[in-house]
């Protein structure tokens, strides 16, 4: 799926996407898909599901970074973003954003487009005569998984959102009112359950990267974690651990250098490629966004100082830095390298910034020698996340002694010294929140802020964490406001039924 199907996606886009204007899921009648011409066979079903996946990549490589990555990562305490070339990004990082920020409108549109495509598949695929029942069920379950994923993101980032589960038929359907967050979460759970019970456990080589039952079960467990339903989350994660056949890659960096893509540690990834048939691109500019200027990078964001200090404490039993630290940051250390370049060799050429992230900083899969076109997949869920979420659920259920070995599994892979088996529940909770998960998943897409958001439901103060961790401009964070993004102004202007989030 990673390297093929461009023409299928392009065909579907011409038929479907051209009909969408800038409004909320608006499609002019003259451009709607004609069921007499489309939704006729398995090829059409595949085009539909590929279009649904396509919104994971956003609108090309720039759209994914500037809208999805920045919107999901820049608010967190793991990122220090100081460059002024992207003012909208600086406003997100500094909590001075308003409802007209382009990242919000583009992110909203991308995810609702994905939901619209999913609903097309869900409604139309069952009516294709030539498809077997098992094929119909699988396509529908795949679409429901993706719809659940898009809604999980939307409800976490915006909270008060429309819930659209069918293809709009009139203006009232197009401009839907906001549903209660509880109703949205119910739909997310229902979609993930269908996907878990229907999708296959694995695919052939040519279809690797498509959502499996394990991906659905992982996200179902994560949804339960947001709802603090730890008993149910525990069951989902334990089943993956016992029966999913996943394992941690022996080399931490293989998660990010291309060699471990869709491999033993991967539950779900955004499929990228450096190939460019007919100029179509599915790549990312993540290499340049994080690389030092001397390596052709733009130095858009850096490791937060508190996180770097915490990483310097993540050591082996003999006191050496762990493999995950060496695989995450590029810094002044005799063994530190990035994309085959030793830090010592460029140290004298660096500007004011001296520490850099290096996950995905590999040029072995790029297009035309251009590092802005990296084909590295981006992880959405790793097995390490399952292990740590399971440990967190166990700990919240009062089973701290049973939880610690699962944390140590993750630590042992990188050579980090084991945690003491005598840790208390509060000690392990603090460790997971302020050490283990930040160090393991530093700069990875869509993890840290979502962690903070779900802990906020347990009365954790995000502002306090940002302040204690030295987040620049944390003083600008207003409690009761900045936990959520505003509903995009463009959507408010088009849909009179939408109400703005508090404080905006």
């Amino acid at each position: 799926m990673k390297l093929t199907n461009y023409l299928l996606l392009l065909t579907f886009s011409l038929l479907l996407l051209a009909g969408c204007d800038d409004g909320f899921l608006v499609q002019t009648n003259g451009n709607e898909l004609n069921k007499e011409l489309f939704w006729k066979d398995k090829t059409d079903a595949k085009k539909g599901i590929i279009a649904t996946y396509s919104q994971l990549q956003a609108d090309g490589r720039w759209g994914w970074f500037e809208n999805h990555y920045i919107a999901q990562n820049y608010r967190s305490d793991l990122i220090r973003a100081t460059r002024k070339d992207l003012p909208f990004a600086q406003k997100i990082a500094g909590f001075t954003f308003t409802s007209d920020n382009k990242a919000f409108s583009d992110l909203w549109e991308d995810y609702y487009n994905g939901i619209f495509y999913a609903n097309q598949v869900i409604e139309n695929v069952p009516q294709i005569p030539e498809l077997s029942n098992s094929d119909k069920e699988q396509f529908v379950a795949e679409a429901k998984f993706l719809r659940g994923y898009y809604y999980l993101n939307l409800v976490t980032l915006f909270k008060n959102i429309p819930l659209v589960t069918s293809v709009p038929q009139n203006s009232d359907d197009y401009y839907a009112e906001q549903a209660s967050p509880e109703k949205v979460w119910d739909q997310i759970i229902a979609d993930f359950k269908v996907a878990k019970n229907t999708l296959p456990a694995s695919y052939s080589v040519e279809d690797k990267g498509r959502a499996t039952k394990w991906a659905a079960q992982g996200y179902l467990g994560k949804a339960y974690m947001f709802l603090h339903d730890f008993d149910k989350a525990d069951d989902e994660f334990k089943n993956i651990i016992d029966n999913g056949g996943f394992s941690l890659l022996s080399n931490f960096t293989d998660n990010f250098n291309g060699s471990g893509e869709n491999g033993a540690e991967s539950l779900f990834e955004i499929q990228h490629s450096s190939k460019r048939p007919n100029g179509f691109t599915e790549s990312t500019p993540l290499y340049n966004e994080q690389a030092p200027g001397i390596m052709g990078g733009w130095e858009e964001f850096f490791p937060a100082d508190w996180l770097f200090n915490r990483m310097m404490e993540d050591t082996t039993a003999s006191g050496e830095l762990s493999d995950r630290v060496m695989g995450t940051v590029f810094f002044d250390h005799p063994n530190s390298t990035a994309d085959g370049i030793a830090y010592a060799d460029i140290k004298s050429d660096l500007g004011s910034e001296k520490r850099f992230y290096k996950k995905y900083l590999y040029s072995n899969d790029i297009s035309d020698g251009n590092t802005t076109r990296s084909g590295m997949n981006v992880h959405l869920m790793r097995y390490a996340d399952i292990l740590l979420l399971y440990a967190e659920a166990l700990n919240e259920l009062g089973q701290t002694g049973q939880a610690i070995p699962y944390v140590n599994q993750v630590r042992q892979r990188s050579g980090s010294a084991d945690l003491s088996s005598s840790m208390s529940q509060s000690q392990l909770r603090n460790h997971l929140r302020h050490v283990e998960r930040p160090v393991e998943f530093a700069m990875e897409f869509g993890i840290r802020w979502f962690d903070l958001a779900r802990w906020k439901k347990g009365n954790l103060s995000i502002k306090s964490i940002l302040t204690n961790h030295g987040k620049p401009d944390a003083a600008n964070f207003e409690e009761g406001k900045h936990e959520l993004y505003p509903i995009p102004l463009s959507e408010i202007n088009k849909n009179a039924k939408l109400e703005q989030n508090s404080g905006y």
Side-chain angles (χ1 to χ4, degrees):
M1 188 162 173
K2 180 176 179 181
L3 301 179
T4 60
N5 300 321
Y6 299 97
L7 294 180
L8 293 179
L9 177 55
L10 178 60
T11 301
F12 191 82
S13 298
L14 291 174
L15 287 167
L16 180 60
L17 305 188
C20 297
D21 69 18
D22 291 335
F24 171 68
L25 302 182
V26 176
Q27 191 179 42
T28 58
N29 289 336
N31 288 305
E32 285 182 353
L33 285 175
N34 186 333
K35 293 182 182 180
E36 295 181 1
L37 301 176
F38 202 75
W39 302 115
K40 305 299 291 183
D41 53 29
K42 190 171 184 176
T43 297
D44 289 344
K46 193 170 186 179
K47 291 173 185 175
I49 202 65
I50 290 171
T52 310
Y53 276 102
S54 72
Q55 297 307 288
L56 297 173
Q57 299 173 338
D59 184 19
R61 67 191 193 277
W62 305 118
W64 178 80
F65 179 78
E66 293 187 0
N67 303 324
H68 292 210
Y69 188 89
I70 286 175
Q72 297 226 27
N73 284 48
Y74 269 36
R75 279 188 298 177
S76 89
D77 54 341
L78 307 188
I79 294 285
R80 186 168 55 80
T82 57
R83 280 195 59 171
K84 308 299 183 184
D85 60 325
L86 296 175
F88 73 93
Q90 292 304 310
K91 291 177 181 178
I92 291 174
F95 303 103
T96 59
F97 51 79
T98 53
S99 61
D100 60 351
N101 192 294
K102 70 176 285 294
F104 306 153
S105 56
D106 289 347
L107 185 72
W108 178 284
E109 181 178 334
D110 288 339
Y111 285 155
Y112 271 112
N113 278 341
I115 290 164
F116 178 66
Y117 305 153
N119 288 337
Q120 286 264 350
V121 172
I122 292 165
E123 289 191 11
N124 291 296
V125 163
Q127 311 307 318
I128 298 176
E130 77 163 39
L131 281 182
S132 66
N133 286 336
S134 61
D135 279 342
K136 292 177 182 179
E137 290 172 356
Q138 180 174 326
F139 279 120
V140 168
E142 213 167 349
K144 287 188 173 183
F145 167 79
L146 291 166
R147 184 172 68 180
Y149 173 83
Y150 293 134
Y151 270 126
L152 187 151
N153 280 268
L154 285 164
V155 77
T156 303
L157 295 172
F158 299 99
K159 187 177 181 179
N160 302 299
I161 60 172
L163 178 62
V164 183
T165 57
S166 60
V167 178
Q169 301 298 316
N170 54 52
S171 59
D172 285 339
D173 293 339
Y174 285 126
Y175 296 105
E177 62 186 10
Q178 287 147 307
S180 69
E182 293 78 15
K183 189 172 182 180
V184 177
W185 279 109
D186 286 345
Q187 186 63 54
I188 291 168
I189 296 293
D191 281 349
F192 286 152
K193 281 184 176 179
V194 170
K196 180 190 80 167
N197 293 328
T198 308
L199 291 176
S202 62
Y203 291 92
S204 63
V205 173
E206 65 180 10
D207 279 333
K208 270 198 169 186
R210 295 174 70 172
T212 65
K213 65 177 293 181
W214 307 116
Q217 189 160 32
Y219 275 100
L220 178 58
K222 200 161 205 176
Y224 285 136
M225 294 294 284
F226 272 96
L227 300 176
H228 289 203
D229 196 337
F230 300 115
D231 270 317
K232 290 182 179 177
D234 172 296
D235 291 341
E236 303 303 334
F237 298 138
K238 187 64 163 64
N239 188 53
I240 295 171
I241 292 168
D242 289 347
N243 301 307
F246 295 96
S247 61
L248 298 171
L249 297 178
S250 58
N251 183 0
F252 176 81
T253 58
D254 284 349
N255 283 299
F256 313 104
N257 62 19
S259 62
E261 289 182 350
N262 301 315
E265 190 168 340
S266 173
L267 273 79
F268 196 51
E269 306 176 6
I270 302 177
Q271 306 294 305
H272 290 291
S273 174
S274 59
K275 308 298 181 185
R276 300 181 66 218
N278 301 314
F280 186 83
T281 180
E282 290 185 307
S283 58
T284 80
L286 203 48
Y287 182 107
N288 290 69
E289 306 290 359
Q290 61 181 320
I294 190 63
M295 293 174 61
W298 302 321
E299 301 187 13
E300 291 289 350
F301 62 93
F302 310 93
D305 292 340
W306 80 271
L307 176 64
F308 181 81
N309 293 336
R310 192 75 80 243
M311 285 182 169
M312 296 301 99
E313 300 168 355
D314 192 61
T315 59
T316 66
S318 59
E320 298 174 347
L321 291 175
S322 68
D323 291 344
R324 61 183 176 181
V325 170
M326 301 304 294
T328 298
V329 287
F330 186 43
F331 65 107
D332 193 2
H333 185 281
N335 297 328
S336 185
T337 63
D339 199 23
I341 298 173
Y343 188 93
D345 292 342
I346 64 170
K347 179 179 177 179
S348 61
D349 297 314
L350 295 175
S352 59
E353 296 292 344
K354 308 297 183 184
R355 303 165 183 165
F356 307 88
Y357 276 124
K358 57 175 281 188
K359 286 179 178 176
Y360 304 108
L361 193 56
Y362 299 90
S363 59
N364 52 299
D365 184 11
I366 59 175
S367 175
D368 304 324
N370 187 341
T371 51
T372 69
R373 299 193 180 102
S374 171
M376 297 293 179
N377 286 0
V378 171
H379 282 284
L380 295 179
M381 181 172 282
R382 293 198 277 124
Y383 184 57
D385 201 5
I386 298 298
L387 291 171
L388 294 182
L389 287 170
Y390 181 56
E392 184 179 336
L394 287 173
N395 190 54
E396 294 303 326
L397 291 169
Q399 302 174 44
T400 303
Q402 294 94 314
I404 291 172
Y406 290 97
V407 181
N408 283 337
Q409 278 191 49
V410 177
R411 297 178 64 80
Q412 289 163 5
R413 182 263 297 277
S414 293
S416 304
D418 281 355
L419 300 181
S420 168
S421 60
S422 64
M423 292 181 81
S424 68
Q425 182 187 49
S426 61
Q427 286 174 329
L428 182 58
R429 180 185 296 123
N430 287 332
H431 174 85
L432 287 167
R433 292 180 175 183
H434 305 301
V435 180
E436 200 64 38
R437 291 187 65 81
V439 171
E440 177 70 21
F441 301 116
M443 79 152 279
E444 293 185 42
F445 177 64
I447 293 183
R448 180 59 174 177
W449 185 264
F450 279 33
D451 282 347
L452 296 177
R454 60 188 179 83
W455 296 330
K456 165 67 171 60
K457 291 188 175 184
N459 297 319
L460 171 144
S461 168
I462 293 179
K463 182 181 179 70
S464 294
I465 287 185
L466 299 177
T467 302
N468 292 340
H469 289 168
K471 172 77 171 177
D473 300 318
N476 293 335
F477 187 97
E478 296 181 33
E479 292 186 307
K481 175 182 178 179
H482 287 125
E483 292 89 351
L484 301 176
Y485 282 141
I487 306 301
L489 180 62
S490 58
E491 300 299 328
I492 293 282
N493 288 340
K494 293 165 187 170
N495 184 356
K497 298 176 184 177
L498 297 181
E499 295 183 8
Q500 187 54 274
N501 284 334
S502 176
Y504 294 102

